[in-house]
């Protein structure tokens, strides 16, 4: 198991990242999603709460140059007879997964209609997480084959019964670079410690000061389904 803070402090630009897991006391499912940016356009964002999750928004609309890949709903919640499923992604595939789920289709079918972002030469991976009411979860990544846009690599990782204090972390970029190298391997197992506020502060303070933009965290009570969430924006 890796120390999440150490992983974040050791990587100045992991890009966008998702952590799904179980709280230290085992009572809650845990979610974290953060965005980072190197350009003025990417850094000009905040998270705002919506009825079913969160969305990104321009902090200064006058400075927004291209909203196509940076304005989206990172988090959406879908309710059914089983409870509430939470979808977390780094792009508008959040809506694709939600729409397929509402039609009774699988997340795999949804993501098979999508691929990495068309932002050559980086071809930013699309990372997605799905947290089910029981606490099990899925993480996925759609990425180019070593920078070749002619081939999309689709990886899906399912975690049925995570242990207390354990999470899994996936992010878009393996490290900083030009072009940016895509994440490699399986989601990293990481320790999840503290309550919601402590966890939120630890993640936020571990992100690179120059590149971090926004963070969303949530603890979902596995018995009641009640979710408590936090949003941290650098521009607030």
């Amino acid at each position: 198991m890796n120390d999440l803070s150490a992983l974040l402090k050791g990587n100045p630009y992991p890009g966008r990242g998702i952590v799904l897991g179980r709280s230290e006391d085992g009572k809650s499912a845990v979610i974290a999603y953060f965005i980072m940016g190197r350009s003025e356009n990417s850094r000009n964002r905040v998270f705002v709460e919506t009825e079913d999750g969160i969305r990104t928004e321009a902090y200064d609309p006058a400075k927004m140059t291209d909203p196509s890949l940076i304005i989206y709903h990172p988090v959406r919640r879908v309710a059914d007879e089983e409870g509430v499923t939470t979808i977390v992604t780094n792009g508008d595939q959040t809506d694709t997964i939600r729409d397929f789920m509402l039609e009774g289709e699988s997340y795999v079918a949804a993501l098979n209609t999508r691929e990495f972002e068309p932002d050559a030469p980086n071809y930013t991976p699309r990372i997605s997480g799905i947290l089910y009411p029981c606490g099990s979860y899925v993480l996925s990544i759609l990425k180019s084959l070593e920078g070749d846009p002619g081939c999309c690599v689709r990886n899906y990782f399912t975690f049925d019964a995570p242990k207390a204090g354990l999470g899994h972390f996936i992010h878009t970029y393996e490290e900083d670079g030009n072009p940016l190298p895509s994440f490699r391997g399986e989601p990293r197992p990481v320790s999840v410690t503290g309550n919601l506020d402590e966890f939120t502060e630890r993640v936020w303070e571990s992100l690179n000061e120059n590149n971090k933009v926004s963070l969303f965290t949530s603890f979902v009570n596995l018995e009641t389904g009640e979710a408590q969430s936090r949003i941290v924006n650098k521009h607030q």
Side-chain angles (χ1 to χ4, degrees):
M1 192 184 305
N2 300 285
D3 182 279
L4 179 58
S5 293
L7 288 180
L8 293 174
K9 290 177 180 178
N11 189 345
Y13 198 64
R16 273 77 81 191
I18 299 172
V19 177
L20 296 180
R22 187 71 58 88
S23 62
E24 194 172 17
D25 62 9
K27 296 180 180 180
S28 299
V30 173
I31 303 169
Y33 176 67
F34 64 81
I35 59 174
M36 307 180 81
R38 299 191 302 179
S39 68
E40 182 181 28
N41 198 43
S42 292
R43 292 176 175 179
N44 181 36
R45 289 183 289 174
V46 293
F47 285 165
V48 295
E49 191 174 4
T50 65
E51 289 185 359
D52 67 344
I54 63 170
R55 62 182 172 87
T56 59
E57 185 176 275
Y59 173 69
D60 183 350
K63 293 182 178 180
M64 179 63 64
T65 57
D66 180 10
S68 61
L69 293 177
I70 63 174
I71 301 299
Y72 57 94
H73 288 80
V75 177
R76 285 195 184 275
R77 301 183 183 94
V78 179
D80 61 19
E81 64 276 4
E82 300 287 331
V84 176
T85 296
T86 305
I87 306 163
V88 188
T89 90
N90 72 321
D92 62 8
Q93 72 267 27
T94 311
D95 296 346
T96 305
I97 296 171
R98 179 202 58 177
D99 293 346
F100 269 65
M101 290 180 66
L102 290 174
E103 293 296 324
E105 299 286 341
S106 70
Y107 72 89
V108 174
L111 289 172
N112 280 345
T113 69
R114 307 300 304 270
E115 60 177 22
F116 47 83
E117 296 179 0
D119 59 338
N122 298 315
Y123 301 112
T124 298
R126 292 189 185 272
I127 56 173
S128 305
I130 303 170
L131 173 66
Y132 295 104
C134 64
S136 65
Y137 51 86
V138 172
L139 289 167
S140 72
I141 183 168
L142 313 179
K143 60 181 180 178
S144 67
L145 180 60
E146 298 299 331
D148 176 8
C151 180
C152 181
V153 179
R154 304 172 185 276
N155 291 326
Y156 304 99
F157 306 93
T158 302
F159 302 90
D160 288 336
K163 296 179 180 179
L166 172 66
H168 288 90
F169 175 38
I170 195 168
H171 44 96
T172 52
Y173 308 126
E174 188 69 18
E175 58 190 357
D176 203 355
N178 191 18
L180 290 158
S182 295
F183 178 90
R184 297 188 181 97
E186 298 182 7
R188 276 60 161 170
V190 295
S191 56
V192 177
T193 59
N195 60 31
L196 175 58
D197 289 325
E198 292 167 340
F199 176 71
T200 303
E201 181 178 8
R202 187 174 299 112
V203 174
W204 182 250
E205 293 302 320
S206 300
L207 294 169
N208 181 271
E209 182 63 30
N210 293 325
N211 295 325
K212 65 184 179 182
V213 176
S214 295
L215 168 67
F216 167 85
T217 58
S218 185
F219 274 31
V220 183
N221 187 291
L222 292 171
E223 183 176 348
T224 66
E226 179 185 1
Q228 294 185 325
S229 303
R230 302 287 185 267
I231 290 175
V232 185
N233 292 309
K234 190 171 184 178
H235 285 303
Q236 289 182 347

